[in-house]
């Protein structure tokens, strides 16, 4: 069919700032429901007009635009405040509540609109949905946020800084977009943009810079990045951006799309549980849904290097179908069974099968402890330990040295773009600072679906250090594929808001969240846990001094000798959510 496109309509916000907005609608007379997406990544690149070939900024999945318009919808795409063709100043994650609500009101009152508005989109575009919905705009009927942070991009996990994601996003999306706009407006020379673009090719080198605040490339260009670093604890700064009662302001149903290898996975699960338990209307509580697939962030790629699921086109078609049915019901009032479907849809890896469930976590989950054993070797330096359902007896601890000058390199996992997803971990596991605890080959399949937790009894020579855990599926040929991982900066063992340093040599009990997964470990496979003290550059390095790691005064790197205790008095164990059906 023919799509009619109106570009760069300048829509006024309540404070007079105008935001550039494109409209894609059927080329015929009529009124249709509206699907709105608001993005800071340049709507022209995201939705290239026919005959104007440009590569998308992200390999993101929204929906098949032509199919959606053909199905009788108007798509409205808007550059957020201060980005590309829009007026105003860009401040990451700010202004989205009011700007979103104002744009919804504008869209609902256009001559091609029937007054019903939905929102959709990935990542930042998903955050703009939650923010706009919290304003409870009258015309908003439903949202479909995919891979969204909570309130803002909280770049910490277990007290460790999400260096790879936070810095890459700041450079490639935050700073590049701002400088490109300044060049376009004649406010900056092309050389400034060229410098940023060239720097994008050298991110691996920039990650190495210490202290973390030593990044002149973005200094003065991305103040929010330095604000993030200035607040390593969950203090009043973060509490204001991620309010406790946020979900009480959500009154429309949400179709949440998450990924097993997405760094916002924890946020998406929190969104789902938040709206199901706390939303401000029965409609939102009863009818919100979540879909969790085998995807990384932004790009819904099913053809991951180590595990081939399906082609990306299959994911786009499936989720377009899913979202069209969602909006057909909530915006058009079509009785298509959406209200009667189970609210949880998950992709179970290993057997590569979609399954619908009644709740998350699954109600028939058995949380089973798998205990760490030394495998008969005291003070193991390179880790050949056992993972077993049997509790430990009298065993000596395992010991390794963590040198922040030579951190354990990140290998796949919840990263950005091409590095994302499952990777063979054998090269990492050869290091002396990575301990491996592995079950014998499985005699029957074991399904692990749900949140994974690691309980470690540790001691260290340092005042502060990190402890990491990684769940791995070991294939019969030895290939070791990562499923999910986590980290805890020891000073935050009691609270993310009130850090307490360690006493060298003292044993502490740590609880490390390893995220969630769904995987069937097949017969002949083995379940493996990796334990270490770094995962770089996914997370920043702990300097082991007890100082403020991002501080300009914190440049010393101290080696730490770390102990993992697993005896009767200190039963270190991995808690796996087992499904037996």
């Amino acid at each position: 069919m023919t799509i009619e496109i109106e570009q760069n309509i300048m829509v006024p916000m309540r404070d007079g700032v105008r935001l550039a907005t494109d409209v894609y609608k059927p080329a015929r007379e009529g009124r249709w429901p509206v699907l709105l997406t608001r993005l800071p990544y340049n709507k022209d690149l995201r939705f290239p007009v026919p005959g104007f070939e440009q590569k998308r900024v992200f390999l993101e999945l929204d929906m098949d635009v032509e199919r959606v318009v053909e199905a009788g919808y108007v798509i409205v795409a808007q550059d957020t405040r201060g980005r590309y063709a829009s007026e105003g100043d860009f401040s990451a994650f700010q202004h989205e509540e009011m700007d979103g609500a104002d744009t919804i009101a504008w869209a609902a009152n256009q001559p091609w609109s029937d007054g019903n508005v939905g929102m959709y989109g990935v990542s930042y575009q998903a955050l703009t949905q939650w923010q706009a919905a919290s304003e409870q705009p009258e015309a908003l009927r439903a949202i479909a946020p995919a891979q969204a942070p909570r309130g803002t991009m909280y770049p910490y996990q277990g007290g460790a800084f999400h260096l790879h994601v936070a810095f890459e996003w700041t450079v490639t999306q935050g700073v590049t977009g701002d400088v490109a706009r300044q060049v376009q407006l004649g406010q900056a020379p092309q050389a400034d943009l060229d410098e940023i673009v060239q720097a994008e090719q050298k991110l691996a080198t920039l990650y190495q810079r210490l202290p973390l605040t030593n990044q002149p490339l973005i200094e003065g260009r991305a103040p929010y990045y330095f604000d993030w670093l200035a607040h390593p604890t969950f203090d009043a700064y973060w509490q204001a951006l991620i309010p406790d009662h946020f979900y009480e302001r959500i009154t429309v149903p949400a179709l949440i799309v998450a990924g097993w290898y997405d760094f916002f996975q924890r946020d998406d699960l929190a969104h789902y549980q938040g709206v199901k338990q706390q939303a401000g209307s029965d409609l939102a509580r009863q009818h919100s849904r979540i879909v969790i697939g085998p995807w990384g962030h932004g790009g819904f790629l099913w053809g991951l290097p180590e595990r081939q699921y399906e082609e990306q086109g299959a994911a786009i078609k499936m989720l377009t179908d899913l979202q069209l049915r969602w909006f057909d019901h909530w915006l058009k009032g079509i009785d298509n069974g959406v209200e009667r479907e189970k609210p949880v849809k998950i992709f179970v890896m290993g057997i590569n099968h979609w399954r619908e469930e009644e709740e998350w976590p699954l109600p028939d989950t058995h949380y089973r402890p798998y205990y760490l054993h030394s495998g008969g070797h005291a003070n193991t330096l390179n880790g050949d330990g056992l993972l077993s359902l049997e509790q430990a007896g009298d065993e000596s601890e395992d010991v390794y040295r963590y040198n922040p000058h030579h951190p354990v390199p990140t290998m796949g996992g919840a990263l950005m773009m091409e590095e994302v997803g499952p990777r063979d971990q054998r090269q990492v596991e050869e290091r002396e600072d990575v301990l491996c605890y592995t079950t014998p080959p499985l005699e029957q399949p074991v399904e692990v679906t749900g949140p994974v937790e690691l309980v470690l009894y540790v001691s260290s020579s340092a005042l502060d250090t990190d402890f990491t855990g990684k769940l791995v599926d070991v294939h019969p040929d030895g290939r070791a594929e990562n499923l999910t991982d986590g980290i805890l900066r020891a000073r935050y063992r009691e609270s993310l808001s009130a850090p307490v340093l360690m006493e060298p040599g003292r044993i502490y009990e740590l609880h490390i969240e390893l995220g969630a997964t769904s995987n069937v470990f097949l017969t002949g496979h083995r379940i493996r846990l990796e334990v270490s003290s770094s995962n770089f550059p996914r997370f920043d390095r702990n300097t082991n001094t007890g100082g403020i790691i991002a501080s300009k005064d914190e440049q010393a790197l101290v080696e730490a000798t770390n102990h993992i205790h697993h005896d009767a008095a200190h039963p270190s164990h991995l808690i796996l959510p087992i499904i037996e059906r």
Side-chain angles (χ1 to χ4, degrees):
M1 70 173 289
T2 304
I3 299 177
E4 185 176 312
I5 304 171
E6 296 181 53
Q7 293 183 276
N8 290 329
I9 303 169
M10 301 306 292
V11 177
M13 301 294 102
R14 66 189 67 178
D15 61 357
V17 172
R18 301 181 304 163
L19 305 186
T21 306
D22 292 349
V23 174
Y24 297 72
K25 58 187 177 68
R28 61 182 186 272
E29 292 298 322
R31 292 176 177 269
W32 299 275
V34 177
L35 297 182
L36 167 66
T37 187
R38 306 184 59 254
L39 61 153
Y41 304 129
N42 191 349
K43 59 181 173 52
D44 296 335
L45 295 179
R46 184 68 172 283
F47 297 98
V49 298
F52 186 59
E53 298 297 332
Q54 284 185 302
K55 184 178 179 181
R56 292 187 178 195
V57 177
F58 279 113
L59 291 174
E60 287 176 318
L61 172 70
D62 295 302
M63 286 188 290
D64 184 323
V65 174
E66 292 187 12
R67 276 192 60 196
V68 172
V69 176
E70 185 176 359
Y73 289 91
V74 175
I75 288 181
V76 173
Q78 183 180 75
D79 287 333
T80 53
R81 180 180 293 246
R83 299 292 280 179
Y84 296 94
S86 287
E87 297 175 349
D89 297 321
F90 176 65
S91 183
F93 310 105
Q94 305 298 313
H95 306 292
E96 309 304 356
E97 295 95 337
M98 293 184 296
D99 288 353
D102 290 351
T103 304
I104 289 169
W106 173 85
N109 286 285
Q110 297 308 299
W112 33 257
S113 171
D114 70 359
N116 296 293
V117 180
M119 294 186 74
Y120 75 103
V122 181
S123 191
Y124 199 106
Q125 299 91 288
L127 176 136
T128 64
Q129 296 177 59
W130 288 114
Q131 301 290 59
S134 71
E135 291 288 297
Q136 301 179 2
E138 182 179 354
L140 186 64
R141 301 288 179 260
I143 59 177
Q147 303 180 335
R150 275 185 293 171
T152 184
M153 184 163 74
Y154 177 60
Y156 290 91
Q157 182 177 324
F161 186 64
H162 270 291
L163 178 62
H164 179 275
V165 169
F167 186 70
E168 180 170 335
W169 186 87
T170 299
V171 173
T172 62
Q173 302 306 322
V175 174
T176 302
D178 278 350
V179 175
R181 181 170 182 264
Q182 292 168 9
V183 171
Q184 185 179 16
L185 296 174
Q187 299 173 352
Q190 179 66 35
D192 285 2
L193 181 58
D194 294 341
E195 177 189 9
I196 299 292
V197 172
Q198 291 172 10
E200 292 180 11
Q201 311 304 317
K202 304 175 183 177
L203 289 176
T205 300
L206 295 178
Y207 293 139
Q208 302 284 341
R209 297 180 71 99
L210 288 173
L212 296 181
T213 51
N214 182 22
Q215 293 292 353
L217 178 71
I218 61 175
E219 193 168 353
R221 291 167 166 159
Y224 48 85
Y225 180 81
F226 299 96
D227 289 342
W228 298 342
L229 290 175
H231 297 274
T233 63
F234 193 76
D235 57 12
Y237 172 84
W238 294 112
Q239 293 164 17
L241 293 173
I242 309 176
D244 288 337
H245 304 290
F246 173 81
Y247 298 109
E248 296 176 6
R249 306 203 305 269
I250 304 298
T251 57
V252 296
L255 171 62
I256 300 164
V257 180
W260 295 128
Y261 290 98
D262 178 35
F263 45 81
F264 288 144
Q265 178 211 92
R266 293 169 176 80
D267 294 324
D268 283 322
L269 294 173
H271 283 316
Y272 177 70
Q273 292 174 315
V275 293
K276 295 295 282 188
Q277 298 168 10
Q278 305 170 33
S281 73
D282 288 339
L283 188 70
R285 288 192 299 272
Q286 294 175 11
H287 297 295
S288 290
R289 300 180 59 194
I290 188 168
V291 177
I292 315 174
W295 306 304
H297 187 74
F300 287 71
L301 301 175
W302 287 28
L304 295 171
E306 304 295 341
R307 291 191 179 194
Q308 299 297 321
Y309 297 118
E310 295 184 35
E311 295 181 358
Q312 183 184 4
I316 294 175
K317 182 181 184 304
M318 187 203 83
L319 286 179
T320 299
D321 291 343
L322 188 72
Q323 293 181 85
L324 273 178
R325 292 188 69 247
W326 178 254
F327 289 121
D328 279 350
H329 180 75
W330 295 113
L331 273 65
K332 293 184 176 182
I334 297 174
D335 184 7
N336 54 15
V338 163
E339 286 184 290
R340 297 182 292 277
E341 293 175 350
K342 293 182 179 180
V344 178
K345 185 181 182 73
I346 61 174
F347 186 88
V348 184
M349 298 181 291
I351 59 173
N352 301 342
H353 175 69
W354 284 102
R355 198 168 72 204
E356 294 184 347
E357 300 286 349
E358 293 287 355
E359 299 177 25
W360 180 268
L362 277 55
D364 56 342
T365 304
H366 299 276
Y367 292 96
R368 191 159 295 157
Y370 282 72
Y371 296 93
L372 280 60
H373 299 266
S374 64
H377 298 283
N379 298 323
T380 305
L381 284 178
N382 59 358
D384 62 351
L386 299 177
L387 198 60
S388 169
L389 292 171
E390 295 183 6
Q391 296 192 32
D394 294 329
E395 297 184 9
S396 298
E397 69 268 23
D398 293 330
V399 183
Y400 63 95
R401 290 181 291 273
Y402 159 50
N403 183 351
H405 285 287
H406 303 288
V408 176
T410 300
M411 190 73 69
L415 297 175
M416 295 277 279
M417 304 303 286
E418 66 274 2
E419 299 97 341
V420 71
R423 296 290 190 277
D424 193 337
Q425 303 297 306
R426 282 179 286 187
Q427 182 178 351
V428 168
E429 292 171 354
E430 291 176 356
R431 293 175 55 109
E432 292 187 346
D433 55 355
V434 177
L435 304 180
C436 296
Y437 302 90
T438 312
T439 67
L442 299 174
E443 296 181 357
Q444 60 185 18
V446 174
E447 179 181 336
V448 173
T449 296
V452 181
E453 183 179 5
L454 175 60
V455 180
L456 287 182
Y457 290 85
V458 306
S459 59
S460 177
S461 63
L463 294 171
D464 182 51
T465 191
D466 292 347
F467 289 92
T468 66
K470 185 187 300 177
L471 179 63
V472 176
D473 185 346
V474 183
H475 292 236
D477 64 1
R479 191 166 73 256
E481 293 179 351
N482 55 300
L483 293 168
T484 188
D485 59 51
I487 190 169
L488 179 62
R489 189 145 290 170
R491 72 176 78 180
Y492 296 106
R493 63 193 177 275
E494 299 178 6
S495 167
L496 294 176
S497 302
V500 180
L501 295 179
M502 304 173 73
E503 179 183 330
R506 180 179 174 182
I507 299 176
Y508 296 91
E509 179 181 340
L510 306 184
H511 291 253
I512 307 173
E513 295 181 4
L514 302 192
T517 191
S518 181
N519 184 74
V520 173
F521 293 83
L522 299 174
T523 300
H525 288 227
R526 292 176 290 163
I527 303 172
R528 175 170 292 166
L529 168 70
E530 293 179 15
V531 175
S532 190
S533 287
S534 52
N535 184 353
F536 180 83
R538 173 154 154 71
F539 302 105
D540 68 325
R541 293 169 284 178
N542 197 324
T543 57
N544 297 330
T545 66
I548 300 175
I549 294 173
S551 169
K552 292 183 178 180
D553 298 326
E554 183 72 4
Q555 299 189 43
L557 300 178
V558 177
E559 186 174 292
T561 300
N562 293 335
H563 300 245
I564 305 299
H565 301 264
H566 43 76
D567 53 37
H570 307 98
S572 292
H573 57 281
L574 176 68
I575 303 175
L576 294 181
I578 304 297
I579 305 299
E580 297 174 340
R581 295 180 177 174

